[in-house]
Amino acid sequence: MTVELRHLRAFLAIAAEGTITRAAARLHVTQPALSRTLRQLETHLGVRLIDRSTHHLRLTAAGHAFRPRAAAAVTAVDDALDPARAGTWPLRIGHAWSALGDHTTPLLRLWKQEDPDTPVQLLRVDDRLAGLEHGTVDVAVIRGEADLPAEVDTLLLLFEPRVAAVAADSPLTRKARLTLHDLVAEPIAVNTIAGTATLDLWPADDAPNSTVEVANTDDWIAAIAAGHAVGVTTTATAATYPNPAVTYLPLIDVPAVPVRLAWKQPPSHPAVPDLVNLARRLLLGERTRSRAAAGIPSPP
């Protein structure tokens, strides 16, 4: 049997909807036809992708592993057949939050100046790899450590200092800067999808007692603004998400966060190498100017 695109779409619809009934309605096919398509795909792969033993279908371990590959394949085919992309198509830059902070606008303006014929789309994707694994974007901004596939290349751009985010009326704002210990009495807002701050930042004998889990930066900001929690983030968030109800304060006893560009090999867009080189030039130039202003010699 030859696997066709419909087999992958069928699997992805079932995985997304959680039931054959809803997936069949989404794809406008009958339930028996959709079940047959799924069985054909599983037979071809020689593994069970979906556990049908429960009322709500669940992905097996093989199904979880196959899902991003199937999504990437479908996205690649859709992109290749998109009439709007027959000529020059947008270069998609993904980020889970804050893009490149203060560096975002200079990068986009310089790109428009140097390559005006290739449009850029900046996409926020609430995902640890900012859509790169699923093929939603061509280049991703990755903060902190991430489990990257073998085919992904990266470029370290900078290290972002950490800051604490607290409600503007919090007693903590009386201090000019904070330590991790200053936050232990408060619930910690943790972005479980793409955040870089977990309770592992704190020593085991001096850790907060509770967390407020959120799935994106908007909910993270809202929890802090309401006084339900405090947060730990980077200076990019303070620059990108100013909020009169939230105060950002330097956090002095925790390491800075590495920020990388990541892209697949081979690149999914011909302009990816140009963007990587532009980011390297821009960020390296800014670091050199910062060192010179501070009287620090440039490295040999």
Side-chain angles (χ1 to χ4, degrees):
M1 185 204 80
T2 300
V3 172
E4 301 172 2
L5 199 59
R6 64 185 178 89
H7 292 93
L8 302 182
R9 293 193 192 280
F11 164 70
L12 292 172
I14 296 170
E17 297 294 342
T19 71
I20 294 288
T21 301
R22 289 200 298 266
R26 172 174 169 176
L27 296 175
H28 305 290
V29 299
T30 66
Q31 295 179 43
L34 185 57
S35 296
R36 285 195 301 271
T37 301
L38 175 61
R39 286 196 301 271
Q40 290 170 351
L41 177 61
E42 291 177 326
T43 299
H44 175 82
L45 296 174
V47 294
R48 177 66 67 89
L49 298 174
I50 293 180
D51 182 2
R52 306 166 181 77
S53 61
T54 60
H55 179 67
H56 293 286
L57 305 185
R58 295 181 180 178
L59 295 183
T60 64
H64 280 292
F66 182 67
R67 187 177 186 179
R69 300 202 304 273
V74 170
T75 298
V77 172
D78 288 345
D79 287 346
L81 299 179
D82 184 355
R85 300 180 66 174
T88 299
W89 65 93
L91 175 63
R92 302 162 300 173
I93 305 174
H95 66 105
W97 45 275
S98 296
L100 287 173
D102 284 337
H103 307 288
T104 305
T105 298
L107 179 69
L108 297 180
R109 285 184 173 275
L110 190 56
W111 178 267
K112 184 177 181 181
Q113 175 183 327
E114 296 194 2
D115 196 344
D117 295 329
T118 303
V120 167
Q121 289 182 346
L122 189 63
L123 304 174
R124 175 178 143 183
V125 183
D126 292 320
D127 176 87
R128 187 70 188 90
L129 301 186
L132 184 65
E133 187 175 16
H134 295 169
T136 308
V137 302
D138 304 299
V139 182
V141 178
I142 307 293
R143 282 184 171 81
E145 302 305 320
D147 186 13
L148 296 170
E151 70 272 17
V152 170
D153 279 351
T154 64
L155 170 67
L156 178 62
L157 293 177
L158 71 155
F159 288 88
E160 289 176 345
R162 303 247 197 187
V163 297
V166 304
D169 58 355
S170 167
L172 291 171
T173 60
R174 298 168 188 164
K175 296 188 175 185
R177 56 185 184 173
L178 299 175
T179 66
L180 289 174
H181 177 72
D182 291 325
L183 305 179
V184 296
E186 305 289 340
I188 306 299
V190 175
N191 183 336
T192 59
I193 303 299
T196 59
T198 69
L199 293 188
D200 292 338
L201 286 176
W202 282 263
D205 59 350
D206 191 30
N209 293 322
S210 62
T211 62
V212 174
E213 294 187 351
V214 298
N216 56 64
T217 302
D218 291 338
D219 293 346
W220 184 87
I221 292 284
I224 294 168
H228 296 161
V230 300
V232 174
T233 184
T234 76
T235 50
T237 305
T240 311
Y241 295 94
N243 187 308
V246 176
T247 298
Y248 297 96
L249 297 167
L251 195 60
I252 62 175
D253 59 345
V254 63
V257 175
V259 181
R260 296 176 172 86
L261 280 187
W263 65 96
K264 288 185 177 180
Q265 289 289 6
S268 56
H269 192 291
V272 167
D274 294 333
L275 178 72
V276 173
N277 289 331
L278 181 64
R280 180 186 287 113
R281 281 167 39 211
L282 178 66
L283 272 297
L284 177 60
E286 291 194 7
R287 286 201 299 269
T288 300
R289 289 190 292 272
S290 296
R291 293 175 68 92
I296 302 173
S298 297

